[in-house]
């Protein structure tokens, strides 16, 4: 994954045609495309391979199972062309390590989640989840743009590992705040794909990001 635009599109649309349309309009401003269950269930897993021809694809399956099942899921995602996967850490270090082995280190671990409910269960253990991600050899963590101060806290725990940060736009966070707090990449979904002009929305974010760098 390039580290140039620092922008990752969360492509949570539910048709292949819409996915292609949004990617065509925004791809010049992106380093990667993150896909999640809505698109994979709607378009089928071949969408991973198709999009991987355009940009690096991060498979956000929020993998959270026993090590063997985690390994099988990662092998399917990587075998179809995913450059990285996203897993949960609460299932334990052995489960995260299974992802790290199967995806050759290209794993991001969810820590404190960005939505209000993220404060209920994930926030109190987020520091430990970040430490676990580091111990397991993951590439990075997912941390909330809605609470930039938490990005700064988690950065202290993981050192130079990468932080990808959702919650910008529709959830109320600002790209520049998250970057200043220590995020490496911003993840944006609805702010781009629900915009009447996805190219303009992505360009606007790219400009905001560039000003901070
Ligand atoms: O910009 P949005 O709010 O439309 O989309 C945000 C995307 O980031 C969406 O795909 C979520 O599933 C994802 N996300 C969060 O919003 N909050 C989190 O705490 C974690 C994620 C995520 O990407 O986890 C890997």
């Amino acid at each position: 994954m390039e580290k140039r635009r620092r922008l990752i599109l969360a492509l949570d649309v539910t048709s292949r045609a819409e996915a292609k349309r949004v990617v065509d309009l925004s791809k010049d401003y992106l380093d990667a495309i993150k896909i999640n269950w809505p698109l994979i269930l709607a378009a089928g897993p071949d969408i991973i391979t198709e999009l991987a021809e355009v940009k690096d694809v991060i498979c956000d399956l929020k993998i959270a199972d026993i090590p063997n099942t985690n390994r099988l899921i990662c092998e399917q995602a990587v075998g179809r062309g995913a450059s990285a996967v996203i897993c949960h850490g609460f299932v334990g270090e052995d489960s995260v390590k299974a992802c790290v082995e199967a995806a050759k280190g290209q794993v991001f671990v969810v820590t404190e989640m960005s939505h209000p409910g993220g404060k209920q269960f994930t926030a109190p253990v987020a520091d430990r989840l970040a430490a676990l991600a580091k111990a397991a050899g993951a590439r990075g963590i997912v941390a909330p743009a809605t609470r930039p101060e938490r990005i700064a806290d988690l950065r202290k725990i993981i050192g130079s590992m990468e932080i990808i940060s959702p919650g910008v736009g529709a959830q109320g966070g600002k790209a520049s705040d998250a970057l200043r707090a220590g995020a490496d990449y911003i993840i944006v979904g609805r702010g781009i794909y629900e915009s009447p002009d996805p190219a303009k929305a992505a360009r606007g974010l790219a400009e905001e990001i560039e000003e901070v760098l």
Side-chain angles (χ1 to χ4, degrees):
M1 175 159 92
E2 266 193 307
K3 196 168 180 182
R4 198 162 64 93
R5 295 294 197 174
R6 313 287 192 107
L7 181 59
I8 298 170
L9 169 66
L11 193 54
D12 298 327
V13 297
T14 51
S15 88
R16 195 175 156 274
E18 182 61 3
K20 301 280 255 185
R21 184 185 80 86
V22 175
V23 167
D24 279 346
L25 290 168
S26 60
K27 63 177 189 269
D28 291 348
Y29 307 104
L30 310 174
D31 283 333
I33 301 166
K34 182 181 85 66
I35 58 172
N36 197 330
W37 290 111
L39 180 58
I40 295 172
L41 291 173
D46 288 346
I47 193 74
I48 301 169
T49 316
E50 243 176 90
L51 292 172
E53 283 164 19
V54 184
K55 283 280 162 192
D56 280 301
V57 170
I58 302 175
C59 264
D60 176 13
L61 306 172
K62 298 206 177 60
I63 307 163
D65 216 311
I66 61 167
N68 187 58
T69 310
N70 274 9
R71 174 180 64 79
L72 292 168
I73 296 168
C74 288
E75 284 171 2
Q76 287 298 316
V78 171
R80 286 184 155 84
S83 301
V85 297
I86 295 176
C87 74
H88 272 299
F90 64 78
V91 274
E93 194 170 323
D94 54 351
S95 289
V96 174
K97 273 188 175 155
C99 294
V100 169
E101 270 167 40
K104 301 195 167 51
Q106 299 306 303
V107 175
F108 294 93
V109 180
V110 177
T111 60
E112 178 169 328
M113 293 194 74
S114 60
H115 62 312
K119 284 189 168 177
Q120 252 180 307
F121 294 106
T122 60
V125 294
D127 292 7
R128 288 169 65 197
L129 292 171
L132 182 153
K134 190 173 183 185
R139 172 174 174 169
I141 61 167
V142 185
T146 46
R147 293 176 218 111
E149 70 285 0
R150 293 296 291 138
I151 297 177
D153 294 341
L154 294 164
R155 165 62 72 204
K156 287 181 201 141
I157 295 167
I158 61 165
S160 61
M161 284 168 70
E162 284 181 333
I163 298 179
I164 59 176
S165 185
V168 167
Q171 294 182 53
K174 260 186 79 64
S176 46
D177 291 346
L179 286 171
R180 283 197 193 97
D184 295 284
Y185 297 88
I186 303 303
I187 299 171
V188 181
R190 286 165 288 179
I192 296 175
Y193 69 74
E194 280 188 352
S195 164
D197 188 343
K200 190 174 166 201
R203 188 168 57 243
L205 284 157
E207 284 166 5
E208 181 184 342
I209 290 167
E210 220 159 80
E211 268 175 36
V212 179
L213 299 180

